[in-house]
Amino acid sequence: KVYVFPANSIASKIQQILGDAVGEKYGIALCSDEIHLETPADEAHGDYASNIAMGLAKQLARNPRDIAFELAKCDVQIAKSE
């Protein structure tokens, strides 16, 4: 199931990080609305999942597994909030 998250939630920060990573790595600007997060059915798979790599695979003509690996390696972080 895909959710819309409040602006200050950790999920919206994850969307921001994914968007920043895509911009940094591939030069593609994405807004939060284009980055879908869902909660995996199996809790062992984490709190959130995204199919962003699948969405970029055709556009980049690349293997989605490779894209996911590269995005995971990007040096984009959340700025600490007070």
Side-chain angles (χ1 to χ4, degrees):
K1 184 174 180 178
V2 176
Y3 298 96
V4 175
F5 301 99
N8 294 335
S9 70
I10 188 68
S12 68
K13 292 184 188 297
I14 292 169
Q15 288 174 313
Q16 176 187 349
I17 289 170
L18 285 171
D20 291 348
V22 168
E24 177 184 298
K25 184 68 181 173
Y26 304 110
I28 298 171
L30 297 175
C31 65
S32 294
D33 295 345
E34 297 174 289
I35 302 169
H36 301 286
L37 293 181
E38 58 185 48
T39 54
D42 185 344
E43 289 182 9
H45 295 155
D47 296 320
Y48 299 103
S50 175
N51 67 347
I52 193 165
M54 293 294 289
L56 291 171
K58 186 172 185 176
Q59 184 177 356
L60 297 172
R62 303 270 317 279
N63 182 313
R65 183 180 292 258
D66 293 341
I67 294 169
F69 182 77
E70 290 171 356
L71 290 176
K73 296 276 187 186
C74 278
D75 191 25
V76 177
Q77 298 179 9
I78 301 175
K80 290 185 179 182
S81 58
E82 301 291 320

